[in-house]
Amino acid sequence: MVYRIGLILVVLMLPISGGADVIHREAQVSDESLEALNYLLGFVGPSRVDLRQFKPDKITAVLKFLAAPKEQGTLYHAGVSNGTPSAYYEVDIARRLDQIIRLTYHPDIPAVFTAPSTVRLAHWEQIDTRDHQLPKLWEPLPEPFSPVFFSGVEHLVNTPDQTTGAYYGYNLYRSVILTRVSGRNLLISLSRQAGTSSVGRRGLVIGSDDRWDYLYTERPGLNRFGLGWVDSYMYDSYSVAFYLENPGGPTVRFGVFKWLRAGWSNINLVRRAHIYGGLQRYGEVFRQIVEHSGVANVAALSKRLLEIRRLPDDRLRGVARDYLEGVRDQAETAGLLSKNEARTVFDERSYLNAMGREAMQSVVVLEYLKQLLGKPHRVDLKPLLPVPSD
């Protein structure tokens, strides 16, 4: 047992998402910024403060940090809260804020479309608005100006971790604030995990992570030699994300603080570099997609994605079947699965027929996104869903 505990500690302390920048030092943000972050986190969760009480002047310090230049090779963080470590990541996106909001909060554009490397499935369990619909945050802010708020609960299933292969399902309390600070439009997205995640299940990254090809099994454990027995969980996570518009041009500074505690037997095995790597895995892909000319026509794009959501089961299943055949062949060729394992995992009755509509839609959306961006894809969707023109 000592050997097994030591092995899992070694494996889970490896970077859980590849491609992170080289880190030379760590630096905690100022006490004033920490106070501002704690103030914001009070607006999300089951006992949150009423969003109408939000005061922009309470977060001045953290907004100054957001806008300031950063030292290359420095991992910024917000310390440890309740045993949960944190990390900060930022990237500048060459789009207007309203365009970014429309892509990320449009009801007909699923989260997997803008986060294919980190999100498998996502849907709102609850939206706390009068009509229980997402507000159209991309529309011009009211004049005289007043902030726009909404909250709710979102269910997420993430993609397999690049090192352990584990993926998890969990609920997030969400609160969103759209406001204006010193003449600059600002969107704040807050999240707090609702309880412990489902047990980590074994998945695979098929090929390079930038291909966004993932395999999901129902088997608990980690996809590492000798660790198939491990029951791992995400115990706690919360985040504060800022989208601050640059008044001098169509650019938005996206900055996010994230806290994460995960591991096995209530032992946290997450380090700041792991969190940063996961944020970078999301942020770089998000920027590439949002800036791509193929998504500029959001109205046409949302119509095509709505068409995917309305496809009958047999057509969704046909695309998913073709996709899975390609994934299976590559997994076998690369030695990720033996022929016996592939036969067991991809048996139509145990995999394809077990996929619900949302999972099949996610596959079609991913293949459509790849086609739209000119990336390699496994299924030609042009006869089914033509690519919208700009």
Side-chain angles (χ1 to χ4, degrees):
M1 182 59 70
V2 172
Y3 166 76
R4 280 190 167 184
I5 291 175
L7 181 60
I8 189 172
L9 284 170
V10 169
V11 170
L12 289 185
M13 287 177 66
L14 292 172
I16 57 177
S17 292
D21 294 332
V22 176
I23 304 299
H24 300 294
R25 62 184 291 267
E26 296 182 355
Q28 181 172 303
V29 297
S30 68
D31 290 344
E32 292 79 10
S33 290
L34 292 177
E35 184 177 348
L37 292 169
N38 287 329
Y39 169 76
L40 286 168
L41 287 170
F43 290 99
V44 64
S47 56
R48 63 173 176 80
V49 176
D50 190 328
L51 286 163
R52 291 172 295 183
Q53 296 186 32
F54 169 72
K55 304 294 183 186
D57 60 358
K58 295 284 189 178
I59 63 170
T60 301
V62 75
L63 292 182
K64 286 182 178 178
F65 168 79
L66 176 69
K70 309 297 188 298
E71 293 184 15
Q72 189 173 4
T74 299
L75 193 161
Y76 295 92
H77 63 88
V80 177
S81 177
N82 298 321
T84 306
S86 65
Y88 173 80
Y89 168 84
E90 73 177 32
V91 65
D92 290 328
I93 303 172
R95 285 291 184 194
R96 297 195 316 268
L97 181 59
D98 64 299
Q99 294 172 313
I100 294 174
I101 292 174
R102 194 169 186 181
L103 281 167
T104 51
Y105 288 98
H106 196 292
D108 296 327
I109 299 179
V112 65
F113 186 86
T114 52
S117 62
T118 50
V119 173
R120 181 195 188 193
L121 306 173
H123 63 264
W124 289 91
E125 298 274 356
Q126 172 184 323
I127 301 175
D128 301 326
T129 58
R130 183 172 298 178
D131 60 0
H132 305 294
Q133 302 294 317
L134 291 174
K136 295 180 179 180
L137 297 175
W138 57 87
E139 293 184 342
L141 290 170
E143 297 293 348
F145 170 76
S146 60
V148 180
F149 314 99
F150 84 91
S151 62
V153 178
E154 189 175 22
H155 179 74
L156 288 161
V157 178
N158 56 20
T159 58
D161 178 82
Q162 290 176 280
T163 298
T164 67
Y167 71 95
Y168 306 87
Y170 50 97
N171 282 357
L172 287 177
Y173 294 106
R174 295 283 308 277
S175 291
V176 176
I177 302 168
L178 180 58
T179 187
R180 188 174 290 162
V181 178
S182 301
R184 303 171 70 176
N185 292 331
L186 169 68
L187 180 80
I188 304 172
S189 175
L190 310 171
S191 74
R192 186 181 295 272
Q193 188 172 314
T196 302
S197 73
S198 63
V199 66
R201 300 187 184 278
R202 297 171 67 180
L204 284 172
V205 179
I206 308 298
S208 174
D209 190 53
D210 62 7
R211 287 289 302 265
W212 309 329
D213 286 335
Y214 307 110
L215 168 65
Y216 302 87
T217 80
E218 292 300 313
R219 293 176 290 177
L222 303 180
N223 191 40
R224 302 286 292 187
F225 178 73
L227 294 176
W229 58 277
V230 170
D231 287 341
S232 63
Y233 297 89
M234 287 176 54
Y235 296 115
D236 196 14
S237 69
Y238 37 105
S239 67
V240 178
F242 301 95
Y243 301 76
L244 181 62
E245 192 165 48
N246 181 356
T251 305
V252 169
R253 168 68 54 87
F254 169 65
V256 55
F257 290 89
K258 185 178 180 68
W259 294 254
L260 176 62
R261 183 166 61 90
W264 166 76
S265 193
N266 249 341
I267 301 172
N268 177 51
L269 300 172
V270 175
R271 301 295 179 263
R272 292 185 184 116
H274 303 161
I275 302 172
Y276 180 84
L279 292 173
Q280 186 186 40
R281 186 187 189 195
Y282 164 78
E284 288 301 311
V285 171
F286 178 71
R287 179 191 62 79
Q288 292 168 17
I289 293 170
V290 171
E291 290 183 348
H292 198 278
S293 61
V295 305
N297 190 340
V298 180
L301 175 65
S302 63
K303 288 179 181 178
R304 297 306 190 278
L305 295 173
L306 181 59
E307 290 174 11
I308 290 176
R309 196 171 71 184
R310 291 174 173 174
L311 286 172
D313 284 354
D314 61 335
R315 301 188 78 178
L316 289 172
R317 196 174 302 281
V319 174
R321 179 184 297 110
D322 293 345
Y323 171 81
L324 289 173
E325 286 180 357
V327 169
R328 178 193 60 200
D329 292 345
Q330 184 173 350
E332 284 189 54
T333 301
L336 299 174
L337 292 172
S338 68
K339 288 188 176 181
N340 287 336
E341 287 175 321
R343 188 178 301 113
T344 299
V345 171
F346 287 98
D347 179 83
E348 190 166 311
R349 288 173 294 178
S350 65
Y351 198 108
L352 182 60
N353 285 352
M355 293 179 72
R357 277 190 62 84
E358 188 179 8
M360 291 190 294
Q361 288 169 353
S362 180
V363 167
V364 181
V365 168
L366 274 175
E367 288 297 281
Y368 184 65
L369 173 62
K370 295 172 190 177
Q371 176 181 308
L372 197 64
L373 302 185
K375 293 174 65 71
H377 50 280
R378 298 184 183 275
V379 183
D380 183 10
L381 298 178
K382 289 181 181 178
L384 186 66
L385 295 164
V387 177
S389 58
D390 291 341

